[in-house]
Amino acid sequence: MLSGIKQKTIVGKDGKIELSTTELPEGAVVEVIVLVEAPTEEDETTYLLKSEANKQHLLKALENVEKGNLIYVDLEEYEKDCI
């Protein structure tokens, strides 16, 4: 009978992979298959929503946009004032 164990781990120094399980008896013969996860790129929104403080700021900003509570800035005037 074939059975399996699925376990995530991190590749260590010199490519060493360690598995810790009590499901395998000492001396058992095993065959190991390594599946490497592709790195995932997080989009900016997901990154910003991780922090509860950022999430609240973004939700408040969306609420303000929906209500029309906007501030318009003339960038040319702004740049003149900054010089």
Side-chain angles (χ1 to χ4, degrees), residues 2-72:
L2 189 61
S3 63
I5 297 171
K6 182 177 181 180
Q7 189 176 112
K8 285 192 177 190
T9 188
I10 297 174
V11 177
K13 186 176 181 182
D14 297 325
K16 187 174 183 179
I17 298 172
E18 292 185 31
L19 299 176
S20 176
T21 180
T22 58
E23 298 174 55
L24 297 172
E26 186 175 333
V29 176
V30 299
E31 184 173 339
V32 178
I33 299 172
V34 177
L35 304 173
V36 180
E37 288 185 5
T40 58
E41 288 190 28
E42 210 170 40
D43 67 19
E44 293 173 26
T45 304
T46 302
Y47 173 78
L48 291 172
L49 290 174
K50 278 185 175 179
S51 158
E52 189 59 34
N54 277 347
K55 181 179 179 179
Q56 293 308 316
H57 287 295
L58 289 170
L59 291 174
K60 184 67 177 174
L62 285 172
E63 184 181 312
N64 282 328
V65 168
E66 289 170 359
K67 290 181 178 178
N69 298 336
L70 304 172
I71 298 172
Y72 294 95

